[in-house]
Amino acid sequence: MTQKSFPLTAEFIAAANTTAEQYANNYQQSIASSKASDNFWAERAEWIDWFKKPTKISDVSYDLDDFRIKWFEDGELNISVNCLDRHLRNNPYKPAIIWEGDHPSQHKIVSFKELHAEVCRLGNAMRKLGIKKGDRVTLYMPMIPEAMVAMLACARIGAVHSVVFGGFSADSLGNRIIDSQSKLVITADEGLRGNKHTPLKVNVDRALDMDGTQSVDKVIVVHRTGNSIPMSGRRDVWYHTLIGGESEHCEPEVMNAEDPLFLLYTSGSTGKPKGVLHTTGGYITYALSTFRDVFDIKDDDVYWCTADVGWITGHTYSTYGPLANGTTTVMFEGVPEYPTWARVGHIIDKHKISVLYTAPTAIRSMMKEGDTFVRESDRSSLRLLGTVGEPINPEAWDWYYHVVGGGRCPIVDTWWQTETGGILLAPIPGTVALKPGAAMNPLYGIKPEVVDSDGEVLEGPAEGNLAISNSWPGQMRTIYNDHQRFLQTYFTEYPGYYFTGDGAHRDEDGHYWITGRVDDVLNVSGHRLGTAEVESAVDAHPATVEAAVVGMPHDIRGVGIAAFIILRSGEVANEYLKSEINRHVRNEIGPIANLNAIYIVDALPKTRSGKIMRRILRNLAAGQYVGLGDLSTLADSSVINQIIEVVKVEREQNRNQC
Ligand code: WT7
């Protein structure tokens, strides 16, 4: 593979927190032995305010008969104290959150002092509602400061938050409430994005009509748009009424380092989303330390991560990482195209943003609109750019670098997962010339390996599956309610390793390139969706018998969704039915599950043992009709020709429409 690499400017290198030499030395030291690794993390743990300092650093075994992952196990702390109280000593009036509303006329600045006060009020109110350490609380929120307040208030009183992305349907919300058995839901009357209202409270009501959600006693509702919504007298309370009389002092719960901090549901290769569990001491140490390293953080940075709080990025790198470091974090309620595609640039200028962290899909959608919009702003405050969520294609990288960043700002391509809690691979800025599309180097304490399908660890330049041979403090500890599935999913395929589910290429310089998922998980616009999850939503439509869902190349979303569907006899394949099926799937899961192509077929390609051969469907959905590889295991190979005909006709029609 030939690679263009971009050296950093001398100016950036001179001001960077880390030099190439420091990275190399620190990295080597951090992985030299498990003792050396413990020493490294013991030093990093010094950056945390502990009630009781840990004397034990790690206790980890990936051996399935004796499995454990523990970090700082005798340490005691509270994360909200680390994100708030300790900054009040030196910097109470520094902005903690700069909130930019959906409409450009609205913004709000919340200082660390104000944020602390509000978190305390809500913490007290939640305690009065009977919420105790270990209780689960579901948050279903728009991008407003109260979302972060609620997360931190849970952390303050030891409740375990489970944030559900506000774009998920009532059904998806309900299923997550059922799995977590939450006692409390915090939501808003409505969300507001691009001047469109989303019915958050109504969705909560619907979710709470589902069987199995009886654990929920109370719903706290933030007043956002003010439109009238149904409030049930016994169950629902307004946020402002509830916290109005509460004190600004709230005793932080003493948490053990291994006490749970949050659950976050993410898609896997089977139908049911997994409740990824993160704990307290390791997570915050990892969030704080990787945030500082990867974003080269200085005291006066204004940092904007565009991720919604409903995703892990919104947890680690919008909320906990920045606030634990005392960094100002920008939160944007709206969408990049409202009122026009110039919005992102205007926000950068308005708040003098210095570090911008976003996803390739957002970059591509802005790029498609041309340079004029972005050039309405001068963006001279920017000094560093980041990406996350999927591999970034070279065109998008170039545009981000030259147009958005004016050719001055390094781009850190950060690879990680909900499960990893924080970034594992990225070029620490100032330490290495950048290669567009590569996640580059392991962070301190991370030992990545490229393994082949037989589990052989490959040396030197190689292509295979990405596994990690050791543990790090931010690693997930279990799948909530299903420890067996946790062991099965991540530690069984390659015994002794954490298996990521991603493919990777290591080049001749030792740099890592992520090649994409190797399991049945799709990465749509940087969000994870299991093919099985989408398939069961399609199957639930009354007109369908069976469906197979695969990813297909998509200009903006990176990966689009293609569904091959068999209809019930008597049903007629027409455009109306197809859009009806699509609507149904979006309703069941949420708009991110939009089907980009629907192929109505007579049969699916299956092996003699009945397994769907997705490899073939992936090729067909990408418009590759020849060179389909070995078809000898197919039960009936004539199926393929029929599918090819359907796909060809459909793709031809779509082309004519464009
Ligand atoms: C999957 C994890 C981690 C926050 C966002 C998504 C893909 C993530 C990159 C990157 C190539 C990436 C992987 C990974 N991914 N970052 N920089 N380059 N691929 O979190 O929903 O848990 O998804 O996103 O496939 O496994 P997630």
Short mmCIF file of all heavy atoms in Angstrom, two decimals, residues 312-313 388-391 413-419 502 514 517 523 526 528, ligand 1:
data_model
loop_
_atom_site.label_atom_id
_atom_site.label_comp_id
_atom_site.label_asym_id
_atom_site.label_seq_id
_atom_site.Cartn_x
_atom_site.Cartn_y
_atom_site.Cartn_z
N ILE A 312 -21.32 6.38 23.05
CA ILE A 312 -20.17 6.35 23.96
C ILE A 312 -19.29 7.59 23.79
O ILE A 312 -18.75 8.12 24.76
CB ILE A 312 -19.34 5.04 23.79
CG1 ILE A 312 -18.27 4.91 24.88
CG2 ILE A 312 -18.69 4.97 22.43
CD1 ILE A 312 -18.74 4.62 26.24
N THR A 313 -19.17 8.09 22.56
CA THR A 313 -18.33 9.28 22.35
C THR A 313 -18.87 10.45 23.16
O THR A 313 -18.12 11.24 23.73
CB THR A 313 -18.25 9.64 20.86
OG1 THR A 313 -17.98 8.44 20.14
CG2 THR A 313 -17.16 10.64 20.59
N VAL A 388 -13.83 10.02 14.35
CA VAL A 388 -14.16 8.77 15.04
C VAL A 388 -15.36 8.10 14.40
O VAL A 388 -16.21 8.77 13.83
CB VAL A 388 -14.49 9.03 16.53
CG1 VAL A 388 -15.69 9.94 16.70
CG2 VAL A 388 -14.73 7.72 17.29
N GLY A 389 -15.42 6.79 14.52
CA GLY A 389 -16.64 6.06 14.19
C GLY A 389 -16.50 5.11 13.03
O GLY A 389 -17.17 4.09 12.98
N GLU A 390 -15.66 5.44 12.08
CA GLU A 390 -15.48 4.58 10.92
C GLU A 390 -14.20 5.02 10.22
O GLU A 390 -13.69 6.11 10.49
CB GLU A 390 -16.68 4.71 9.98
CG GLU A 390 -16.91 6.15 9.62
CD GLU A 390 -18.02 6.38 8.61
OE1 GLU A 390 -18.04 5.68 7.59
OE2 GLU A 390 -18.83 7.29 8.85
N PRO A 391 -13.70 4.17 9.33
CA PRO A 391 -12.50 4.60 8.60
C PRO A 391 -12.85 5.85 7.78
O PRO A 391 -13.93 5.94 7.22
CB PRO A 391 -12.22 3.41 7.67
CG PRO A 391 -12.98 2.26 8.23
CD PRO A 391 -14.16 2.84 8.94
N ASP A 413 -7.13 10.52 13.96
CA ASP A 413 -8.12 9.50 13.61
C ASP A 413 -8.14 8.53 14.78
O ASP A 413 -7.15 7.84 15.04
CB ASP A 413 -7.70 8.82 12.31
CG ASP A 413 -8.68 7.76 11.84
OD1 ASP A 413 -9.48 7.26 12.66
OD2 ASP A 413 -8.63 7.42 10.64
N THR A 414 -9.24 8.50 15.52
CA THR A 414 -9.26 7.76 16.77
C THR A 414 -10.09 6.49 16.63
O THR A 414 -11.27 6.54 16.30
CB THR A 414 -9.88 8.62 17.89
OG1 THR A 414 -11.25 8.91 17.56
CG2 THR A 414 -9.12 9.92 18.05
N TRP A 415 -9.47 5.35 16.88
CA TRP A 415 -10.22 4.09 16.82
C TRP A 415 -10.52 3.60 18.23
O TRP A 415 -9.62 3.53 19.07
CB TRP A 415 -9.43 3.00 16.08
CG TRP A 415 -10.18 1.70 16.16
CD1 TRP A 415 -11.17 1.27 15.32
CD2 TRP A 415 -10.04 0.68 17.16
NE1 TRP A 415 -11.67 0.07 15.76
CE2 TRP A 415 -11.00 -0.31 16.88
CE3 TRP A 415 -9.24 0.53 18.29
CZ2 TRP A 415 -11.15 -1.46 17.66
CZ3 TRP A 415 -9.39 -0.60 19.07
CH2 TRP A 415 -10.33 -1.59 18.74
N TRP A 416 -11.77 3.28 18.44
CA TRP A 416 -12.19 2.68 19.71
C TRP A 416 -13.60 2.18 19.58
O TRP A 416 -14.17 2.18 18.49
CB TRP A 416 -12.00 3.65 20.87
CG TRP A 416 -12.74 4.96 20.79
CD1 TRP A 416 -12.58 5.93 19.85
CD2 TRP A 416 -13.73 5.44 21.72
NE1 TRP A 416 -13.39 6.99 20.14
CE2 TRP A 416 -14.11 6.72 21.27
CE3 TRP A 416 -14.31 4.92 22.87
CZ2 TRP A 416 -15.08 7.49 21.94
CZ3 TRP A 416 -15.25 5.68 23.54
CH2 TRP A 416 -15.63 6.94 23.08
N GLN A 417 -14.20 1.74 20.68
CA GLN A 417 -15.52 1.11 20.67
C GLN A 417 -16.25 1.42 21.97
O GLN A 417 -15.61 1.74 22.98
CB GLN A 417 -15.37 -0.41 20.59
CG GLN A 417 -14.46 -0.89 19.49
CD GLN A 417 -14.28 -2.39 19.51
OE1 GLN A 417 -13.76 -2.95 20.48
NE2 GLN A 417 -14.71 -3.06 18.46
N THR A 418 -17.57 1.24 21.95
CA THR A 418 -18.34 1.37 23.19
C THR A 418 -17.69 0.52 24.29
O THR A 418 -17.59 0.94 25.44
CB THR A 418 -19.79 0.89 22.94
OG1 THR A 418 -20.32 1.61 21.82
CG2 THR A 418 -20.66 1.11 24.16
N GLU A 419 -17.25 -0.65 23.89
CA GLU A 419 -16.69 -1.61 24.84
C GLU A 419 -15.36 -1.16 25.43
O GLU A 419 -15.00 -1.55 26.55
CB GLU A 419 -16.43 -2.95 24.14
CG GLU A 419 -17.66 -3.69 23.67
CD GLU A 419 -18.14 -3.28 22.28
OE1 GLU A 419 -17.79 -2.17 21.83
OE2 GLU A 419 -18.86 -4.06 21.65
N ASP A 502 -13.20 -6.15 14.65
CA ASP A 502 -12.74 -5.37 13.49
C ASP A 502 -11.59 -6.07 12.79
O ASP A 502 -10.81 -6.78 13.41
CB ASP A 502 -12.24 -3.98 13.94
CG ASP A 502 -13.37 -3.00 14.16
OD1 ASP A 502 -14.37 -3.06 13.42
OD2 ASP A 502 -13.27 -2.17 15.08
N ILE A 514 -7.71 0.45 10.19
CA ILE A 514 -8.88 -0.38 10.47
C ILE A 514 -9.60 -0.64 9.14
O ILE A 514 -9.86 0.30 8.39
CB ILE A 514 -9.84 0.31 11.46
CG1 ILE A 514 -9.11 0.65 12.76
CG2 ILE A 514 -11.07 -0.54 11.71
CD1 ILE A 514 -8.57 -0.53 13.53
N ARG A 517 -15.73 -3.89 10.17
CA ARG A 517 -16.22 -5.00 11.00
C ARG A 517 -16.04 -6.33 10.28
O ARG A 517 -16.21 -6.42 9.07
CB ARG A 517 -17.71 -4.81 11.31
CG ARG A 517 -18.09 -3.57 12.07
CD ARG A 517 -17.61 -3.49 13.47
NE ARG A 517 -17.99 -4.63 14.30
CZ ARG A 517 -17.86 -4.64 15.63
NH1 ARG A 517 -17.38 -3.58 16.27
NH2 ARG A 517 -18.17 -5.69 16.31
N ASN A 523 -21.81 -0.60 10.33
CA ASN A 523 -21.42 0.69 10.89
C ASN A 523 -22.03 1.78 10.00
O ASN A 523 -21.43 2.23 9.04
CB ASN A 523 -19.89 0.77 10.90
CG ASN A 523 -19.40 1.92 11.72
OD1 ASN A 523 -20.11 2.91 11.89
ND2 ASN A 523 -18.20 1.81 12.23
N GLY A 526 -21.37 5.80 11.25
CA GLY A 526 -20.61 5.74 12.50
C GLY A 526 -21.42 5.19 13.67
O GLY A 526 -20.96 5.22 14.80
N ARG A 528 -23.61 1.84 15.28
CA ARG A 528 -23.65 0.41 15.12
C ARG A 528 -25.05 -0.14 15.04
O ARG A 528 -25.91 0.21 15.83
CB ARG A 528 -22.98 -0.21 16.33
CG ARG A 528 -21.71 -0.85 15.95
CD ARG A 528 -20.85 -0.84 17.12
NE ARG A 528 -21.19 -1.96 17.97
CZ ARG A 528 -20.37 -2.38 18.91
NH1 ARG A 528 -19.23 -1.78 19.12
NH2 ARG A 528 -20.71 -3.41 19.63
C1 WT7 B 1 -16.87 0.44 15.89
C2 WT7 B 1 -17.30 0.80 17.28
C3 WT7 B 1 -15.99 4.60 19.42
C4 WT7 B 1 -16.97 5.59 19.23
C5 WT7 B 1 -17.80 5.53 18.01
C6 WT7 B 1 -18.36 4.20 17.61
C7 WT7 B 1 -15.72 1.50 14.17
C8 WT7 B 1 -14.71 3.44 15.41
C9 WT7 B 1 -13.11 4.03 14.08
C10 WT7 B 1 -12.00 4.59 13.36
C11 WT7 B 1 -12.28 2.93 11.74
C12 WT7 B 1 -13.75 2.91 13.52
C13 WT7 B 1 -15.12 0.13 14.39
C14 WT7 B 1 -15.50 -0.16 15.83
N1 WT7 B 1 -14.75 2.57 14.37
N2 WT7 B 1 -13.73 4.32 15.23
N3 WT7 B 1 -11.34 5.67 13.79
N4 WT7 B 1 -11.63 4.01 12.20
N5 WT7 B 1 -13.34 2.36 12.35
O1 WT7 B 1 -18.53 3.33 18.69
O2 WT7 B 1 -20.71 2.27 18.11
O3 WT7 B 1 -19.08 1.14 19.67
O4 WT7 B 1 -18.60 1.31 17.22
O5 WT7 B 1 -16.79 1.63 15.11
O6 WT7 B 1 -15.71 -0.77 13.52
O7 WT7 B 1 -15.54 -1.54 16.13
P1 WT7 B 1 -19.29 1.98 18.48
#
